[in-house]
Amino acid sequence: KVWVDGGYQATVWRRGAQHGIDVETITRRPAEKGFRPLPRRWVVERTFGWLMQHRRLARDYEALPQRSRAMVLWAMANTMSRRLAGESTQTWRD
């Protein structure tokens, strides 16, 4: 399942369907003024935050999409294994 912003067009759903991915749009921003958190938006922002803790993903751009995908999978495996082992995130200031 993939959650996308309300600004995405129908091509995203068609492309997702071609690859067997369930695409769900989070609601568009409300018309009234003021702050209102969007559902599921925090999941995406939290995941981006976890990924940006890995320097290679924050600084380098891979030449091939397959390499970029591999680096994201590596970063998430690293994050999950650290959480399961009860280790804190490694700092670069030691």
Side-chain angles (χ1 to χ4, degrees), residues 3-93:
W3 292 293
V4 297
D5 193 59
Y8 284 95
Q9 299 169 354
T11 55
V12 174
W13 293 294
R14 282 189 296 241
R15 181 105 173 164
Q18 289 174 350
H19 294 286
I21 300 170
D22 181 22
V23 179
E24 183 180 326
T25 304
I26 25 183
T27 59
R28 293 188 181 269
R29 295 196 183 276
E32 69 256 5
K33 292 188 175 196
F35 176 76
R36 178 186 283 180
L38 297 175
R40 294 289 180 195
R41 184 65 164 245
W42 64 272
V43 175
V44 175
E45 297 299 329
R46 178 193 63 193
T47 305
F48 283 154
W50 287 343
L51 290 173
M52 290 301 111
Q53 291 177 348
H54 299 275
R55 187 177 184 277
R56 183 163 183 162
L57 294 175
R59 302 287 184 257
D60 292 339
Y61 295 102
E62 301 296 334
L64 299 173
Q66 295 87 352
R67 284 189 197 154
S68 183
R69 180 178 183 268
M71 289 297 112
V72 169
L73 291 175
W74 171 82
M76 290 309 294
N78 186 342
T79 300
M80 289 188 301
S81 64
R82 284 185 178 279
R83 288 184 183 274
L84 289 172
E87 293 183 15
S88 62
T89 304
Q90 184 177 7
T91 64
W92 302 105
R93 298 179 190 166

